[in-house]
Amino acid sequence: MEKKNLDWGNLSFAYMPTDYRFVAHYKNGAWDEGGLTTDSMCTMSECAGVIQYAQTCFEGLKAYTTKDGRIVAFRPDLNAERLMNSADRLMIPQVSKEMFLRAVDEVVKANAAWVPPYGSGATLYIRPCLFGCGPVIGVAPAPEYEFRIFCTPVGPYFKGGIKPIRLLLSQYDRAAPHGTGDIKAGLNYAMSLYPGHVAKDRGYSENMYLDAATRTNVEETGGANFLFITKDGVVVTPKSDTILPSITRRSLVYIAEHYLGLKVEERVVPFSEIKDFAECALCGTAAVISPVFAVDYEGGSIEFPSGSEKMGPVTQKLRETIVGIQEGTVEAPEGWIRTIC
């Protein structure tokens, strides 16, 4: 199959409309079968639940071309489960795992020409979204919903690719205790837009957020989880009820333990401790794993020994292994790779 004529090696992380997307509707208490469409526009009431009360959640996953020419998705079953959890919390009818996986398969197959070739460094980003499209004026769940999956070819999430980045310790809170920080709700990301603008306006790639209750413990960035590496090679990841359970982080933790033989600790990480780590990285579907070389805060800066020119040795091994699994050059654990075509 002939690929689209794109400069695959120089794609940015930006929306590029592709040929097909999947759309299903919830009306009268049930989801329809859904199907593919070429229409990229959404039509809904001006009083739609998503517009009035931000009743929306979403997911992000990727499709890859493997070394042997297959097109695969990475752990989409976990995205389906997380979307179900997000929907429950926002009073949105769940999309079944079966429909979710069928929709992913159909969208990727229909847009196979848009899946970047093996070795290009680009991927096909898949965005499932679920939102209230029926009218609601009182504060209540919407009566109707739309489930949509579209996809777009993308390059690296951060400008400069995987070069180590500098973070700003945010003075704003990302998620409240007992709030929605542990689900992938659109409103969480809306709250991060202004702090993200402040950080980028000052020359930083992202924010580091602390817990809202005590403002002493590391949580995550606006769109990725943290991994830290101690000087004796222990992988440490923050634990909190207000952190989004990243599928990439969970995968990297498994890789650290079972592929690299490293000790892993998921625990509370006080900000006061990060000066003692040897490496720091962000991880998520969009970023995969990106090295951090410094965190600036009011009155000071912490720079990690791994430096500003390249990622640290443990971060490098983690990245090589997960990318190898995704691209088919490293054997994957059972159930991690879904072959689409």
Side-chain angles (χ1 to χ4, degrees):
M1 182 213 53
E2 187 176 349
K3 297 289 186 180
K4 297 291 183 179
N5 184 23
L6 299 177
D7 186 1
W8 300 107
N10 289 298
L11 293 179
S12 61
F13 197 90
Y15 173 66
M16 182 185 298
T18 53
D19 297 328
Y20 294 94
R21 60 278 303 142
F22 180 95
V23 180
H25 293 96
Y26 181 93
K27 294 181 181 180
N28 302 317
W31 286 101
D32 63 21
E33 285 297 307
L36 294 175
T37 177
T38 58
D39 188 358
S40 63
M41 303 304 291
C42 301
T43 301
M44 69 187 79
S45 168
E46 63 187 355
C47 202
V50 63
I51 297 172
Q52 301 305 319
Y53 301 119
Q55 197 184 16
T56 180
C57 52
F58 68 98
E59 276 298 321
L61 63 155
K62 289 180 177 178
Y64 308 81
T65 302
T66 62
K67 189 175 183 179
D68 62 6
R70 292 174 298 137
I71 294 177
V72 304
F74 182 70
R75 309 193 78 179
D77 56 312
L78 297 187
N79 293 96
E81 292 170 5
R82 192 169 62 181
L83 187 68
M84 293 168 76
N85 292 335
S86 297
D88 272 351
R89 181 64 174 82
L90 296 175
M91 295 295 291
I92 298 174
Q94 286 186 343
V95 170
S96 70
K97 184 182 289 191
E98 291 73 22
M99 178 186 278
F100 184 98
L101 294 175
R102 173 169 63 88
V104 168
D105 288 351
E106 289 185 15
V107 167
V108 174
K109 283 180 183 178
N111 293 292
W114 295 90
V115 182
Y118 171 78
S120 64
T123 54
L124 186 76
Y125 186 78
I126 305 164
R127 170 54 61 85
C129 45
L130 185 54
F131 52 90
C133 57
V136 55
I137 195 65
V139 181
E144 298 175 4
Y145 297 86
E146 183 170 304
F147 170 55
R148 177 176 286 256
I149 295 185
F150 63 88
C151 61
T152 185
V154 297
Y157 185 70
F158 291 109
K159 292 180 181 179
I162 56 173
K163 185 177 180 180
I165 60 175
R166 182 181 288 270
L167 305 181
L168 176 67
L169 182 68
S170 182
Q171 298 304 305
Y172 296 89
D173 294 329
R174 189 193 70 87
H178 313 296
T180 57
D182 63 335
I183 65 170
K184 206 164 177 68
L187 58 93
N188 295 343
Y189 295 80
M191 290 174 64
S192 75
L193 292 178
Y194 180 75
H197 168 76
V198 170
K200 289 177 175 63
D201 194 50
R202 294 177 59 181
Y204 297 94
S205 298
E206 251 288 11
N207 282 299
M208 171 183 280
Y209 289 100
L210 301 181
D211 73 292
T214 69
R215 295 198 55 78
T216 59
N217 302 317
V218 176
E219 293 230 315
E220 60 173 283
T221 71
N225 284 187
F226 278 106
L227 288 177
F228 298 100
I229 317 298
T230 69
K231 292 175 181 176
D232 56 356
V234 177
V235 178
V236 179
T237 183
K239 183 177 183 179
S240 168
D241 291 338
T242 54
I243 291 176
L244 182 74
S246 164
I247 294 164
T248 304
R249 177 188 57 78
R250 284 180 272 171
S251 303
L252 288 167
V253 162
Y254 183 93
I255 288 168
E257 288 184 309
H258 298 276
Y259 282 68
L260 305 183
L262 300 175
K263 181 181 178 182
V264 175
E265 296 176 354
E266 185 178 0
R267 59 174 174 82
V268 173
V269 178
F271 179 74
S272 60
E273 185 184 347
I274 71 168
K275 67 182 186 302
D276 301 321
F277 290 118
E279 300 175 40
C280 173
L282 308 182
C283 58
T285 296
V288 187
I289 182 167
S290 295
V292 175
F293 79 90
V295 180
D296 290 355
Y297 59 94
E298 195 68 34
S301 180
I302 296 168
E303 295 192 356
F304 298 99
S306 52
S308 62
E309 295 303 315
K310 59 182 181 179
M311 62 178 64
V314 175
T315 302
Q316 180 73 41
K317 289 178 183 177
L318 288 168
R319 181 179 178 85
E320 289 172 354
T321 306
I322 194 169
V323 171
I325 289 171
Q326 292 165 340
E327 295 185 342
T329 60
V330 174
E331 186 175 355
E334 185 176 356
W336 279 29
I337 299 298
R338 182 178 180 89
T339 298
I340 296 174
C341 58

